Amino acid sequence: MIGGGPLGAEALTLGIETSCDDTGVALIRGERTVVAELLSSQIRDHARFGGVVPEFAARKHLENLLPLVDSVLRTANVSGKDLGLIAVTRGPGLMGSLMVGVQAARALSQAWGVPVIGVNHLEGHLFAPMVDADDLRPPFLSLIVSGGHTEIVRVDALGRYALLGETRDDAAGEAYDKAARVMGLPYPGGPEIDRMAREGDPGAFDFPVPLEHTKEIEFSFSGLKTALLWQVKRLNEEGRELPLPDLCASFQRAVTKALIAKVSLAVRKTGIRSVTVSGGVAANSALRTALTHSREARRWRAWLPGFGRCTDNAVMIAAAGRNAWNRGVRSPKDLTPDPSLGIGGTD
Ligand code: KG4
Ligand code: ZN
């Protein structure tokens, strides 16, 4: 185990995030004051392949990570030896990508004599809304909606989490990305559909809202994607030009309704009326509006992270790692990635 006592209010934590296709490095002071932050997105590199290519992502992290660490430290005018902690994502995510972050963190930890802690990427997402909100305290419910995850987590205390329900098949972000491909829109599909939907009529096509009325906290998006695929096929066979804004708005409405229905169910089941959201799909404008202004939203108070904190970033990893460290969580000296790490349980 890597030792050391709790960190004080002035201690610096370096966060490193390389779980998927974004290389993130951030420096925070104390619990969550952002001192410097850099993110190198690979979206353009992967767009030409229509999705993330794992080997390519790992190579890009390898190229980008150390220069980003260097720049962040230089921007903050500190040296590695001034740090109190290095927090690095150890899973879930792509094995090759995680490996680059974890190996770099271990090497820097050795070189600088600074302890390192492995962070669960999903716990990082739980912390994202807390970075900018002073008054958000557990218990709360967290909807994590990204390209790889769609789940509702009950946060009883920091470090004590219960997975209430998750998707049976595709994640919401994955559904957006696949739907975009069906309509011939570029990767990543979420932001593209979001943009197109602004000009469209959400009632134009009556797509099914998956599992809207079941009594379980669960999601499913593969059937919705198929419904869209059939609709597009039909329109193509009729020789009609695709009404993209209407298709996007109708698809987005169905995804949003499915997510809101289960947030609402979770609020009813638990009696917890504080709701947070994070992950890439938390940037979706329809979801943000529904979480704050829909009829259902009268039952809860929603905390939305700023746009930069929705998608993967290193600030949330630094904040989660620093908090875990001060709760007494320690990582083994031979810290290794765990690509299929889940969330739930107590530390
Ligand atoms: O959290 P994230 O950056 O990476 C993962 O951990 O997956 O999320 C990326 C996902 C992609 O599927 C992308 O299409 C989706 O988030 N996304 C959106 C929006 N912005 C990003 N989905 C819907 N609306 C958006 N505005
Ligand atoms: Zn993520």
Side-chain angles (χ1 to χ4, degrees):
M1 284 295 154
I2 297 167
L7 297 170
E10 290 302 310
L12 295 169
T13 301
L14 183 76
I16 295 179
E17 158 62 35
T18 65
S19 68
C20 189
D21 60 340
D22 290 315
T23 320
V25 177
L27 193 65
I28 64 166
R29 187 185 306 283
E31 280 182 43
R32 53 195 163 86
T33 305
V34 182
V35 179
E37 179 182 13
L38 283 174
L39 191 79
S40 169
S41 167
Q42 302 175 11
I43 280 182
R44 265 199 234 121
D45 300 308
H46 294 280
R48 59 198 161 108
F49 303 111
V52 176
V53 182
E55 289 74 18
F56 192 58
R59 207 165 53 218
K60 280 279 164 194
H61 286 308
L62 206 52
E63 278 171 26
N64 294 336
L65 183 55
L66 290 181
L68 286 188
V69 170
D70 231 34
S71 304
V72 160
L73 294 183
R74 243 181 304 119
T75 308
N77 206 15
V78 296
S79 99
K81 293 193 164 58
D82 299 330
L83 301 178
L85 181 68
I86 301 172
V88 61
T89 303
R90 77 174 190 96
L94 301 170
M95 185 54 166
S97 294
L98 292 166
M99 191 70 93
V100 175
V102 169
Q103 294 297 358
R106 282 176 58 178
L108 294 173
S109 151
Q110 284 256 322
W112 295 332
V114 173
V116 62
I117 186 167
V119 176
N120 183 324
H121 180 79
L122 297 172
E123 187 176 18
H125 275 304
L126 293 180
F127 270 75
M130 274 184 279
V131 173
D132 305 309
D134 286 328
D135 52 347
L136 174 58
R137 298 273 179 279
F140 58 83
L141 298 174
S142 184
L143 172 68
I144 304 178
V145 265
S146 70
H149 295 271
T150 299
E151 47 207 50
I152 295 182
V153 177
R154 194 185 68 223
V155 177
D156 296 319
L158 299 179
R160 227 168 69 220
Y161 311 116
L163 177 64
L164 298 186
E166 60 189 329
T167 182
R168 290 184 189 172
D169 40 56
D170 292 350
E174 190 180 356
Y176 271 108
D177 294 337
K178 288 179 174 171
R181 204 172 314 152
V182 164
M183 292 184 283
L185 297 173
Y187 172 87
E192 204 62 31
I193 291 180
D194 196 353
R195 221 180 347 263
M196 282 260 169
R198 279 183 205 141
E199 313 293 322
D201 170 9
F205 296 95
D206 192 17
F207 291 127
V209 178
L211 307 178
E212 188 178 15
H213 301 296
T214 65
K215 300 268 178 293
E216 301 299 319
I217 301 170
E218 56 184 351
F219 304 95
S220 165
F221 295 105
S222 69
L224 175 59
K225 175 201 64 196
T226 310
L228 173 76
L229 184 68
W230 283 110
Q231 185 59 254
V232 167
K233 240 179 131 188
R234 241 186 328 268
L235 290 163
N236 280 334
E237 277 164 12
E238 288 165 9
R240 287 173 54 191
E241 194 183 325
L242 291 183
L244 288 174
D246 285 350
L247 284 169
C248 288
S250 304
F251 178 83
Q252 183 168 275
R253 172 176 177 270
V255 174
T256 304
K257 283 193 86 160
L259 294 172
I260 293 294
K262 297 307 176 183
V263 168
S264 184
L265 181 61
V267 168
R268 270 183 279 135
K269 279 192 170 189
T270 61
I272 297 173
R273 297 158 67 89
S274 290
V275 172
T276 71
V277 62
S278 61
V281 182
N284 183 263
S285 54
L287 180 60
R288 292 174 85 87
T289 303
L291 278 167
T292 44
H293 289 96
S294 64
R295 188 169 38 84
E296 291 91 335
R298 285 190 220 136
R299 288 211 202 94
W300 62 73
R301 175 171 172 199
W303 274 265
L304 310 179
F307 284 101
R309 304 254 176 278
C310 293
T311 42
D312 293 346
N313 65 87
V315 171
M316 69 186 196
I317 300 302
R322 198 267 185 196
N323 190 276
W325 181 267
N326 277 16
R327 298 197 304 265
V329 178
R330 298 291 180 265
S331 289
K333 279 213 164 66
D334 60 344
L335 176 68
T336 47
D338 182 350
S340 51
L341 197 62
I343 195 149
T346 304
D347 20 81

